[in-house]
Amino acid sequence: MTKSTIPLIDRISVELGAQEPWPKDVKLYQPYEVEQILLPDNANCLAAQAFLKMCQLNYEVVHKQNAEAMSPTLKVPFIKAGRFVIAELEGIVQFVNGKGITLTAKLDNEQKADMRAFMSLIHNVIENAELYICWVDKETYNEVTCIRHGSVYPWPLNHIQNWQKRSQVIKKLKALDWYNKTLEDVFAEVETCCEALSTRLDGKPYFFEEGPTELDALIFGHLFTILTTPLPRSDLANTVRNYPKLIQLVQRIEKEYFKKETKN
Amino acid sequence: MGTVHAKADEHFKEIPDFAQKQTIRELPEKEQIKEVDLEGIRARVDKINVDGLARTKNDIVEDCIRELFKATDFQDVLLKAHRARVKLDELGCFKNISVFIDTSKGPKSTPDGLEVTFNVKEHKRLTGGVSTQVGNNEGALLVGMRAPNLFGRGERVQVEYSYGSKKTTNFNVAFIKPIRGRHRSAFTTSVFQQHSEWPPSSYKLIERGVLLDYGFHSTSLLKHNVQWEGNIRDLSVLSRSASFDVREQSGVSLKSALRHVLSVDLRDDIIFPSTGGLFKLTSEVAGLGGDVGFCKNEFFLQSNYSLMDDVVIQGSLWAGYLTPLSSGHKKIGAADAFYLGGPLSLRGFRPRGCGPRSADGDALGARCFWSAGVHLFAPLPFRKGSSKGGLADLFRTHLFVNAGNVLADLDIAGKSGDSDLIETLLTNLRLSYGLGIALRLGNMARLEVNYCFPHSYDKNDQTQPGVQFGIGVQFL
């Protein structure tokens, strides 16, 4: 299959999917949480989970060593709903919208455009910063990334896979002009991004008065993961901690959508 | 007695055959043909000349021809000369080899003395070329380069790249070192990268690895290969519509396996044998390191009987058995399983057409299979005369019956005992029959066009009644 046909098939799958209700046995696939998953992947998996919870859709998390390879876009997470396999937050949002379930119904077009802009800001800044810390920063790479990423492969495949993934990420960061940044530059970028988010949030419970959206889910996924993941460098978490409004948002979403489960 | 030139034929493989066919013609004075008993003529080899050696070291050539000095009669000389020629050929150092036998002359010659001369022509330092090859129902373009006889003792390095009609690509670098001694052994080490696509199972596979192979003969006909393979396999789905069972297997795995291949080939021809048999037993244990673990046994048996002049009945049996390692946690992937069906195995079925498949129709492979075939080969009808070597000789017509079965999971049958396993394998039998034409392609491959009638099959099987086209090396 050529790449050009994929969007068409995506569209068809979304259209077809619309005709069926949300299946009962939806599964969300992600890597092992305890020993394998890395910061950026964990953030994206959590964001997708938060979104599904906000939509009050049931799902079951399945941990797979090869979740990344199984994903149609080679990125985690992905969900399996009936015969459909849909990857990443944007795809999942589109698929859910296709079923008539949406969090953005009350937003006008300007707000929707705003939301998309902030989402791409998070992808372009926070996610790249996470990738940079994990794969470019020597200390984090040696102490955390290479051990966790290689943990599911036998020797010597673990080294080969680490090396291969690292060169992929570095290639990507080079293309985005992030590879030559210093750690300070990276933290400065994150700070600017948080500043913008914090200003936009401005003490409201969610980004839009109408209620939580996928933007809140994405921010929750990334910031919660940054705050709770122990890394040799805590600078990234410290940068985020300077923004109490964002912390409050993260805590609110956690309490609202993730704590309920543990109570029951 | 005049001079006898016994020039070995290019195509002689079987030594007894060679002996039967040798009769000496007294030429040219008398036209009548006189049969001479070769065993009755006493002879001894006084001298052996090897002409045309440049890089090749003497010791390996001496090893090949030494036996010739032990000959006592003329037939023995002929046989041993032929055998020496085969050995020289196996060194892979020479482009062509011709043998001349003459009476020995000169002061030191004995009364029954002979002088044997091998004329050899060495390969160039670097050879290469573009050729085509067939295998596995696929034609491929092959670009290769060889550096034969690198250090004068038959060592060679070869680099090959092939691109197949079914998107299979293959890159291989090998170093081969023959080892002196009576076991005719050789050591091969190769690095390979293979890319293959399997639409019936909706996956593609990239394999990168190392293969070490030690081949030797324990008796003159019994050939062994002991191999170690380290292979990184990257499986990915072919399209988004691939079934989830296949998608679940995607990802990288490392296979480290020890393999033993035992083969005895007594056939008189590889493509259309008229007599003799082939037995091949492959045993493989994966799981010495890596995350793939299984034990796999596979055997192939072929037997040929000549009913009349050119009418041959051929029976073959092909079976395999795959078990997980007892330690348990290692993977067995789609690439390790057995598949049945297709023009090279069970005719009348689509490639990988038999056996377990997912809800979306992707073949998932089986843990156990057997298949058998009976063929009746006959030359093309209405041939003019019995001219050998003509165009018609490349063709055979054949009638065949194929049967086989697969078992998805051994656990089901394994628990209830061996007799049940055999029973399970015999129930739900797949059977097909048909007729067709087979064509010899070079001296290495066979092309078949068959009209098939699937007779009994499972409702999940994909049959292919009617015309089926097959090209390959090993057929059922």
Side-chain angles (χ1 to χ4, degrees):
Chain A
M1 189 196 291
T2 56
K3 274 183 183 165
S4 62
T5 61
I6 290 175
L8 176 67
I9 291 196
D10 260 348
R11 272 206 298 282
I12 292 170
S13 83
V14 167
E15 274 167 30
L16 284 175
Q19 295 155 12
E20 300 162 18
W22 188 253
K24 278 197 179 118
D25 61 338
V26 175
K27 293 191 170 81
L28 186 135
Y29 286 81
Q30 63 173 63
Y32 287 115
E33 249 162 23
V34 181
E35 57 272 72
Q36 186 190 7
I37 203 166
L38 298 175
L39 181 60
D41 291 342
N42 201 2
N44 286 323
C45 291
L46 200 60
Q49 289 196 36
F51 172 74
L52 290 175
K53 281 190 189 289
M54 284 171 181
C55 295
Q56 293 174 329
L57 295 168
N58 56 305
Y59 65 90
E60 184 193 333
V61 179
V62 179
H63 299 280
K64 276 275 181 187
Q65 178 255 105
N66 56 342
E68 198 171 294
M70 281 167 71
S71 163
T73 58
L74 300 180
K75 279 187 182 153
V76 287
F78 70 95
I79 60 165
K80 177 180 179 281
R83 292 186 58 247
F84 301 100
V85 180
I86 306 104
E88 296 182 70
L89 182 64
E90 278 68 21
I92 294 170
V93 168
Q94 210 183 346
F95 180 74
V96 168
N97 289 349
K99 296 206 180 289
I101 304 162
T102 171
L103 296 174
T104 55
K106 289 176 189 158
L107 303 189
D108 58 37
N109 283 341
E110 198 185 324
Q111 283 174 312
K112 278 184 188 166
D114 240 21
M115 184 188 77
R116 278 192 212 106
F118 275 107
M119 284 177 83
S120 78
L121 179 72
I122 290 163
H123 280 305
N124 291 334
V125 178
I126 307 235
E127 207 179 313
N128 286 345
E130 288 165 353
L131 286 172
Y132 184 96
I133 301 277
C134 284
W135 295 98
V136 183
D137 176 48
K138 285 264 155 53
E139 202 182 335
T140 316
Y141 176 76
N142 288 331
E143 282 179 33
V144 179
T145 310
C146 86
I147 297 163
R148 290 179 70 87
H149 186 259
S151 68
V152 293
Y153 302 106
W155 183 91
L157 189 59
N158 51 359
H159 296 291
I160 298 169
Q161 287 297 306
N162 284 342
W163 172 80
Q164 210 170 16
K165 177 77 185 176
R166 183 160 190 256
S167 18
Q168 258 174 36
V169 172
I170 286 177
K171 201 174 156 195
K172 182 186 165 179
L173 291 179
K174 268 184 184 160
L176 295 170
D177 219 9
W178 269 72
Y179 182 67
N180 294 324
K181 284 189 177 26
T182 61
L183 265 177
E184 286 70 38
D185 292 341
V186 170
F187 294 136
E189 291 266 4
V190 174
E191 211 167 332
T192 323
C193 176
C194 286
E195 183 73 52
L197 290 171
S198 183
T199 315
R200 177 71 179 78
L201 188 61
D202 196 25
K204 287 174 291 189
Y206 297 107
F207 270 85
F208 299 99
E209 273 121 21
E210 287 79 3
T213 57
E214 45 262 38
L215 173 61
D216 300 285
L218 187 64
I219 291 175
F220 168 74
H222 281 276
L223 297 192
F224 185 83
T225 315
I226 289 173
L227 290 169
T228 54
T229 308
L231 288 178
R233 281 184 198 283
S234 52
D235 315 23
L236 195 61
N238 292 341
T239 313
V240 175
R241 280 202 188 96
N242 292 334
Y243 298 91
K245 286 172 190 164
L246 293 177
I247 306 278
Q248 277 162 22
L249 175 77
V250 169
Q251 284 168 344
R252 189 175 303 121
I253 294 175
E254 196 206 356
K255 210 173 136 194
E256 184 79 10
Y257 296 102
F258 286 85
K259 281 282 163 67
K260 270 183 198 163
E261 262 173 35
T262 49
K263 237 185 264 173
N264 297 339
Chain B
M1 192 180 126
T3 310
V4 180
H5 285 276
K7 192 184 175 202
D9 193 294
E10 284 285 332
H11 296 296
F12 279 133
K13 280 263 187 274
E14 283 291 287
I15 292 159
D17 224 34
F18 174 81
Q20 280 163 18
K21 286 179 188 169
Q22 283 297 323
T23 51
I24 295 174
R25 290 176 183 222
E26 301 254 304
L27 292 170
E29 298 95 280
K30 294 177 206 162
E31 278 303 318
Q32 75 194 85
I33 294 163
K34 194 173 154 192
E35 293 271 335
V36 178
D37 181 17
L38 291 172
E39 278 180 67
I41 302 172
R42 285 179 50 77
R44 86 177 271 275
V45 176
D46 284 348
K47 209 174 178 187
I48 302 173
N49 303 316
V50 182
D51 285 348
L53 293 182
R55 306 205 297 281
T56 314
K57 299 275 192 291
N58 286 344
D59 50 3
I60 59 161
V61 177
E62 280 166 18
D63 280 350
C64 294
I65 57 177
R66 186 167 290 137
E67 280 287 301
L68 201 48
F69 284 120
K70 293 179 185 158
T72 52
D73 57 58
F74 192 69
Q75 176 168 321
D76 217 13
V77 172
L78 291 181
L79 286 178
K80 290 207 159 100
H82 173 68
R83 211 170 289 163
R85 188 189 167 280
V86 170
K87 280 188 184 171
L88 285 173
D89 199 37
E90 276 177 2
L91 290 178
C93 301
F94 308 116
K95 230 188 279 184
N96 50 44
I97 304 162
S98 52
V99 189
F100 295 96
I101 302 174
D102 200 352
T103 51
S104 86
K105 298 181 185 79
K108 284 183 179 174
S109 65
T110 57
D112 297 326
L114 295 175
E115 194 177 317
V116 182
T117 306
F118 291 90
N119 268 318
V120 298
K121 195 166 181 204
E122 285 186 351
H123 279 296
K124 285 181 188 137
R125 283 225 174 253
L126 199 65
T127 61
V130 181
S131 57
T132 51
Q133 68 170 22
V134 286
N136 245 340
N137 215 23
E138 168 172 43
L141 183 75
L142 180 81
V143 184
M145 219 161 72
R146 268 152 57 97
N149 204 7
L150 211 57
F151 307 116
R153 288 196 173 86
E155 305 86 352
R156 58 187 186 271
V157 172
Q158 54 191 43
V159 182
E160 280 176 354
Y161 175 80
S162 72
Y163 183 83
S165 58
K166 289 186 177 165
K167 294 184 183 165
T168 300
T169 58
N170 196 338
F171 180 75
N172 191 319
V173 183
F175 174 75
I176 299 148
K177 162 102 182 112
I179 296 161
R180 291 170 60 191
R182 61 193 181 88
H183 295 303
R184 288 188 280 153
S185 50
F187 183 72
T188 308
T189 151
S190 58
V191 181
F192 62 87
Q193 172 173 322
Q194 240 170 333
H195 175 115
S196 53
E197 293 192 0
W198 301 97
S201 300
S202 290
Y203 71 78
K204 60 182 172 199
L205 193 66
I206 301 170
E207 296 173 89
R208 296 184 182 92
V210 184
L211 182 74
L212 306 179
D213 175 292
Y214 179 67
F216 64 97
H217 289 77
S218 65
T219 68
S220 65
L221 294 167
L222 206 60
K223 195 182 177 207
H224 300 261
N225 284 79
V226 180
Q227 301 177 332
W228 175 79
E229 183 188 312
N231 187 348
I232 295 172
R233 307 182 301 182
D234 190 353
L235 188 143
S236 49
V237 293
L238 265 183
S239 70
R240 286 182 84 106
S241 57
S243 65
F244 203 75
D245 298 299
V246 178
R247 189 178 284 282
E248 254 182 326
Q249 298 198 23
S250 44
V252 186
S253 61
L254 175 69
K255 172 178 148 186
S256 156
L258 270 181
R259 200 181 299 134
H260 176 247
V261 184
L262 174 81
S263 55
V264 187
D265 192 352
L266 301 169
R267 297 173 299 176
D268 56 346
D269 185 272
I270 300 168
I271 312 299
F272 295 129
S274 59
T275 174
L278 166 73
F279 176 72
K280 199 170 164 187
L281 177 70
T282 312
S283 318
E284 183 175 357
V285 179
L288 309 123
D291 55 354
V292 177
F294 58 81
C295 179
K296 189 175 181 177
N297 289 294
E298 195 175 350
F299 82 90
F300 181 78
L301 179 71
Q302 187 194 77
S303 210
N304 301 283
Y305 303 98
S306 181
L307 294 180
M308 280 183 292
D309 189 20
D310 264 342
V311 182
V312 177
I313 188 158
Q314 181 184 80
S316 37
L317 184 63
W318 197 352
Y321 190 96
L322 176 79
T323 42
L325 288 185
S326 53
S327 62
H329 298 296
K330 302 209 169 182
K331 291 186 274 190
I332 301 179
D336 307 308
F338 294 115
Y339 297 89
L340 192 63
L344 304 188
S345 67
L346 205 59
R347 296 168 185 80
F349 290 82
R350 288 189 182 282
R352 300 189 164 189
C354 293
R357 53 187 63 246
S358 70
D360 301 321
D362 292 332
L364 297 176
R367 295 286 172 85
C368 181
F369 85 101
W370 71 269
S371 57
V374 179
H375 294 255
L376 183 71
F377 284 100
L380 280 185
F382 318 117
R383 271 200 315 178
K384 275 182 194 166
S386 59
S387 60
K388 289 256 176 189
L391 186 67
D393 210 39
L394 296 175
F395 292 90
R396 292 282 188 284
T397 54
H398 72 148
L399 298 170
F400 62 86
V401 181
N402 286 166
N405 201 353
V406 292
L407 204 59
D409 208 342
L410 280 175
D411 299 341
I412 311 161
K415 278 173 193 153
S416 43
D418 279 350
S419 58
D420 286 343
L421 173 65
I422 291 163
E423 207 170 283
T424 325
L425 279 172
L426 287 174
T427 52
N428 207 4
L429 182 83
R430 273 80 163 180
L431 189 86
S432 67
Y433 56 91
L435 73 169
I437 292 177
L439 164 67
R440 176 202 298 271
L441 285 178
N443 210 7
M444 48 173 295
R446 187 160 109 192
L447 188 151
E448 277 187 10
V449 183
N450 296 322
Y451 199 91
C452 312
F453 303 91
H455 179 265
S456 45
Y457 42 85
D458 192 68
K459 62 179 190 311
N460 288 327
D461 288 348
Q462 294 178 342
T463 56
Q464 190 177 5
V467 177
Q468 197 172 32
F469 180 82
I471 183 164
V473 181
Q474 184 167 301
F475 281 82
L476 176 72

